[in-house]
Amino acid sequence: ARNRVPRGARLFVPPDGRADDVIREVQRFIRDHRPHRDGEQLTFHGLRYSDAQEHMRECVDAGLTLEQAERETARRLGHNRRRVVRTYTGPW
């Protein structure tokens, strides 16, 4: 069984920490440990957008309908609404 995190809880942020500090630390770690790519900027939300787009493509390639792919991707993003996915993936 998967552990659930209560709505509003902070998964990777210590109780006395700040989410912005954790995000900056993750971005710095990735920037320092991956190959350099000219002109490419890395942001936490950029990773989320890329992951959502790749997941949608994988779902569609696996034969899911657009509705099913959006539902699965929304669930992965922690949302319950398919239309939120379109913010990340754009129109299909």
Side-chain angles (χ1 to χ4, degrees), residues 60-91:
V60 170
D61 288 349
L64 272 64
T65 66
L66 182 59
E67 181 178 328
Q68 292 168 327
E70 285 178 341
R71 190 177 304 116
E72 288 299 314
T73 303
R75 190 172 301 130
R76 181 181 178 109
L77 292 170
H79 293 287
N80 294 322
R81 295 167 292 153
R82 291 176 33 223
R83 67 181 168 85
V84 172
V85 171
R86 295 178 198 133
T87 302
Y88 291 90
T89 63

Side-chain angles (χ1 to χ4, degrees), residues 1-55:
R2 294 186 305 191
N3 290 335
R4 303 291 293 194
V5 175
R7 190 170 205 52
R10 301 184 310 171
L11 183 60
F12 297 108
V13 181
D16 60 342
R18 293 174 18 123
D20 289 343
D21 294 337
V22 173
I23 290 169
R24 272 193 296 280
E25 182 67 21
V26 169
Q27 288 175 171
R28 186 184 60 74
F29 177 86
I30 294 170
R31 185 179 57 247
D32 291 349
H33 291 88
R34 73 176 190 147
H36 177 73
R37 298 177 186 167
D38 287 332
E40 186 176 77
Q41 293 183 340
L42 176 72
T43 65
F44 189 75
H45 246 85
L47 292 172
R48 191 169 164 86
Y49 275 72
S50 294
D51 182 69
Q53 292 167 6
E54 288 176 21
H55 189 260

